[in-house]
Amino acid sequence: MSKALKPWALVTGAGGFIGHHLVSYLKMEGYRVRGVDIKRPEYGGTDADEFMMLDLRELKNCQICTTGMDFVYHLAADMGGIGYITASHAGIAHNNSLMNLYMLEAARRSDVERLLFSSSACVYPHGLQTSPDVTPLREEDAFPAEPEEGYGLEKLYAEKLCQYYTEDYGLCTRVVRFHNVYGPLGTYDGGREKAPAAMCRKVSCAPNPGMIEVWGDGRQTRSFMYIDDCVEGIHRIMRSDYAKPLNLGTDELVTVDELAEIVIETSEKKITLVHDLSKPQGVRGRNSDNTRLREVLQWEPRMTLRKGIVPTYNWIAAQTAAVAAVEKSMPGAAVAAE
Ligand code: NAD
Ligand code: GDD
């Protein structure tokens, strides 16, 4: 990018996992970056030129942060792993509906060049995800709709809002359906963590030899995307000519037990798995069909799970070790600080 141009990019949710990484990526790509969130990044500082602390459930705040922006990467959401999103349908639908409605309206009023909306594989119908050897999901499979209650239904509605704003107001939008993203600086405890981070935390905290709990029978399947691929894919999709929803994920299908075994091998510990069928499990199988992504971008995520888990595990193990060290020297201090 020419240094003279330096467009502005707004990243909402810049205090969160993907947003934090995306800010750093866009800075490296030469953009001026404004981050916005209701909280600052939990793990380390931000590379953003400006960081606004705003609640995006209010239109006036969406208006403030979109003013003067060229590109808007709208990542802010009330979200978490399957335990979190199945426990709070009303709150999640309420918070995300407001943010998504108001961000689109503010982007229109601020006359931004493009807005990218971060959707989810949770928009896909339950009926297509009932088997571990699931047929990979194509973009057109989202309708007829039967998405994840609350979170998934709201994402699907916001995808359609993007389409309507393009058709009726000429706002240029991009829609990305992420499949389970993992990597360093992601939430690993507190209830919002997804399976890869949860496994890394449990294994790093377990005695050696020891055991960890796995939700479900472990035979449910997913594909997992490393964060570096995720931010590169987001940026490529934003710059593409393609306005309809696109999957962004890997098509490396693994069982949840295989994910756990990869984490255990990375740790070099001797850990056995104990399954808990009472815990939330979500769909039985989910995989991304990347045919359209390859057609549009001539690119797709390439990091294997086995490689991507290494930096993820090392980062989470360092976090849990640091918390344990504080707890040992000052009992109660680590919990009080959270
Ligand atoms: P995250 O929870 O780490 O980040 C989301 C950020 O949004 C948080 O920092 C949160 O504070 C912020 N936020 C929430 N409510 C807000 C409000 N009212 N005002 C301003 N900011 C608010 O999540 P993430 O993993 O970085 O996900 C980013 C986006 O990608 C989300 O839209 C999410 O739904 C979507 N997504 C993520 C995954 C994944 O595997 N991580 C999968 C599918 C979709
Ligand atoms: N979170 C979690 N924690 N999941 C576990 C655990 C654990 O300790 N042990 C096993 N699992 C299993 C879950 O039961 C589920 O079957 C699978 O691992 C994946 O769980 P998550 O990573 O929490 O969520 P998901 O893949 O069902 O859905 C996630 O990905 C979507 C995008 O693909 C969520 O983060 C959604 O919010 C997101 O949109």
Side-chain angles (χ1 to χ4, degrees):
M1 183 189 302
S2 151
K3 281 198 172 161
L5 289 175
K6 276 207 167 185
W8 273 102
L10 172 68
V11 177
T12 74
F17 170 45
I18 302 175
H20 189 172
H21 283 275
L22 183 62
V23 165
S24 304
Y25 184 87
L26 291 172
K27 281 305 297 174
M28 279 190 326
E29 290 290 311
Y31 290 81
R32 286 179 286 174
V33 181
R34 175 183 290 168
V36 61
D37 205 301
I38 38 170
K39 66 169 172 70
R40 295 194 75 82
E42 272 168 62
Y43 315 112
T46 177
D47 291 331
D49 298 281
E50 297 175 2
F51 195 96
M52 294 179 167
M53 299 274 280
L54 293 172
D55 186 339
L56 299 177
R57 290 170 298 183
E58 293 194 35
L59 177 59
K60 72 172 183 336
N61 290 338
C62 297
Q63 195 68 61
I64 290 168
C65 70
T66 52
T67 299
M69 294 294 108
D70 299 301
F71 298 98
V72 174
Y73 293 85
H74 176 39
L75 271 65
D78 184 359
M79 80 86 67
I82 195 66
Y84 182 77
I85 62 171
T86 50
S88 167
H89 292 151
I92 286 177
H94 173 262
N95 293 335
N96 292 342
S97 298
L98 292 178
M99 277 190 265
N100 294 336
L101 272 167
Y102 290 154
M103 277 303 299
L104 268 170
E105 178 58 15
R108 178 182 79 83
R109 292 187 191 178
S110 297
D111 203 19
V112 307
E113 202 170 316
R114 279 185 192 191
L115 176 142
L116 179 141
F117 172 61
S118 52
S119 187
S120 165
C122 286
V123 301
Y124 286 115
H126 270 277
L128 298 180
Q129 304 174 82
T130 54
S131 161
D133 61 346
V134 59
T135 302
L137 295 154
R138 298 166 307 169
E139 286 78 357
E140 57 269 36
D141 291 333
F143 291 95
E146 192 200 2
E148 183 74 41
E149 287 290 346
Y151 175 77
L153 184 60
E154 197 287 325
K155 289 279 191 198
L156 195 58
Y157 173 64
E159 287 190 1
K160 292 302 278 185
L161 274 179
C162 290
Q163 179 193 325
Y164 303 150
Y165 266 68
T166 302
E167 290 168 355
D168 292 3
Y169 302 131
L171 177 69
C172 186
T173 59
R174 300 286 178 266
V175 175
V176 187
R177 291 180 185 154
F178 297 131
H179 289 251
N180 209 316
V181 189
Y182 70 97
L185 311 184
T187 303
Y188 63 90
D189 64 0
R192 289 181 190 248
E193 64 277 14
K194 291 170 279 104
M199 302 291 181
C200 291
R201 185 199 72 235
K202 289 177 187 183
V203 170
S204 68
C205 293
N208 188 17
M211 49 149 259
I212 64 161
E213 180 196 271
V214 171
W215 298 359
D217 65 5
R219 292 198 287 264
Q220 66 270 45
T221 54
R222 295 291 186 277
S223 69
F224 299 99
M225 169 170 55
Y226 189 63
I227 185 65
D228 290 359
D229 281 334
C230 178
V231 293
E232 182 176 349
I234 291 172
H235 188 228
R236 284 174 180 268
I237 291 171
M238 180 64 122
R239 288 182 304 162
S240 79
D241 293 331
Y242 196 76
K244 291 185 185 168
L246 267 181
N247 281 330
L248 185 56
T250 74
D251 52 12
E252 181 193 357
L253 191 70
V254 295
T255 66
V256 164
D257 273 358
E258 283 166 345
L259 165 68
E261 292 299 346
I262 288 172
V263 173
I264 292 165
E265 281 167 32
T266 305
S267 75
E268 298 181 344
K269 288 182 168 184
K270 280 199 182 317
I271 305 279
T272 51
L273 307 180
V274 177
H275 295 102
D276 185 344
L277 298 178
S278 71
K279 292 284 168 46
Q281 290 154 57
V283 294
R284 191 70 180 140
R286 173 177 288 155
N287 197 4
S288 176
D289 183 323
N290 285 352
T291 310
R292 183 142 318 133
L293 184 73
R294 283 192 292 267
E295 277 167 14
V296 172
L297 299 183
Q298 286 82 54
W299 175 92
E300 67 186 306
R302 53 200 154 205
M303 179 72 99
T304 61
L305 183 60
R306 194 167 286 280
K307 278 194 177 161
I309 280 295
V310 174
T312 310
Y313 179 81
N314 289 342
W315 181 78
I316 292 174
Q319 303 303 304
T320 58
V323 171
V326 171
E327 192 56 34
K328 197 171 170 193
S329 61
M330 287 183 287
V335 179
E338 276 171 9

